[in-house]
């Protein structure tokens, strides 16, 4: 008797569950909004290096250490703080002579090359060109890159995010009105990563610094900080 009663209850519940599954999803609209803030960079990031070669690895490393010590001393003289200077690469590589293409032969060890690079954050962009010239004059024979950054990037990105949300709401309200509905509560918000500015690399290498020459000119331009959000809103009749 109990088994028959349980079966009857299950049979009565199945149509209700089926009807619940058959109900159409609640109406909603998904839109993407974008925001953009232009900002003048106030930090320059320079990657500077010293490359030395010698017959032995020890001699090449010793010569490199002497030259890099002079570069670090120049940074201290320029009042660059220790927190803004970091070693970003150090390699010791054998150098081989493989002969010409028409007459290849077994590799012959010719010596060793040492590369030592530091990344420097310059907070006084007005003296950035002077700083780069000073590094080259102190012994740096490799300027591998220069990029710019904004110190209050997070704050400015928050402004771009606000713009992106407002842009998404404007679009959602437009679509809702177009179908005769009202915009309800937001159901989901996703922030999508937006690529930043490409690094600016105006320097490849300077072998000599000219004492009488003016400082290397620097054009910092502006950076565009962008935010993009995708929001799902409920639609109400």
């Amino acid at each position: 008797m109990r088994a028959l009663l349980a079966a009857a209850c299950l049979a009565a519940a199945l149509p209700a569950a089926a009807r619940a599954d058959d109900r159409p999803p609640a109406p909603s609209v998904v839109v993407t909004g974008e925001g953009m803030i232009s900002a003048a960079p106030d930090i320059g990031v320079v990657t500077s290096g010293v490359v030395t070669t010698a017959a032995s690895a020890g001699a090449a490393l010793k010569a490199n250490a002497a030259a890099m010590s002079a570069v670090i001393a120049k940074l201290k003289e320029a009042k660059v703080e220790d927190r803004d200077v970091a070693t970003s690469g150090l390699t010791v590589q054998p150098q081989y002579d493989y002969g010409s293409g028409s007459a290849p032969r077994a590799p012959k060890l010719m010596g060793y090359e040492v590369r030592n690079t530091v990344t420097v954050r310059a907070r006084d962009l007005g003296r950035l060109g002077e700083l780069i010239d000073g590094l080259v004059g102190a012994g740096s024979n490799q300027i591998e890159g220069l990029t710019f950054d904004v110190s209050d990037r997070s704050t400015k990105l928050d402004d771009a995010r606000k713009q992106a949300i407002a842009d998404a709401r404007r679009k959602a309200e437009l679509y809702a009105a177009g179908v005769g509905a009202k915009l309800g509560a937001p159901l989901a918000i996703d922030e999508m990563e937006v690529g930043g500015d490409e690094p600016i690399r105006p320097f490849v290498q300077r072998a000599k610094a000219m004492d009488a020459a003016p400082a290397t000119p620097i054009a910092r331009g502006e950076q565009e900080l962008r935010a993009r959000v995708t929001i799902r809103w409920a639609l109400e009749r």
Side-chain angles (χ1 to χ4, degrees), residues 3 11 19 38 42 53 57 74 89 94 98 103 111 127 141 151 177-178 189 202 219:
R19 286 194 299 272
S38 294
D42 55 358
T53 58
K74 176 59 70 173
Y98 294 91
R127 300 183 60 191
N141 55 7
S151 59
I189 301 177

Side-chain angles (χ1 to χ4, degrees), residues 95-219:
Q95 303 296 299
Y96 293 99
D97 180 4
Y98 294 91
S100 63
S102 58
R105 57 177 173 77
K108 179 183 178 182
L109 180 64
M110 302 299 294
Y112 290 84
E113 178 185 87
V114 175
R115 290 176 175 266
N116 190 352
T117 57
V118 292
T119 298
V120 182
R121 293 172 64 87
R123 300 179 185 274
D124 184 357
L125 294 189
R127 300 183 60 191
L128 181 55
E130 179 184 338
L131 176 64
I132 292 174
D133 290 345
L135 294 177
V136 174
S140 173
N141 55 7
Q142 200 79 23
I143 302 295
E144 297 186 358
L146 167 63
T147 59
F148 293 105
D149 201 358
V150 179
S151 59
D152 56 346
R153 172 178 291 270
S154 295
T155 300
K156 287 184 167 56
L157 274 175
D158 285 346
D159 292 337
R161 291 181 178 107
K162 294 175 183 177
Q163 287 187 6
I165 292 173
D167 183 47
R169 175 177 287 277
R170 177 187 63 81
K171 294 176 182 177
E173 289 176 343
L174 180 67
Y175 293 139
V179 296
K182 293 182 179 180
L183 200 62
L187 304 176
I189 301 177
D190 293 316
E191 181 177 19
M192 294 178 287
E193 186 174 344
V194 181
D197 292 344
E198 288 296 318
I200 302 172
R201 301 182 182 275
F203 306 99
V204 178
Q205 181 173 335
R206 291 186 62 178
K208 297 180 180 180
M210 299 177 62
D211 295 337
T216 299
I218 302 294

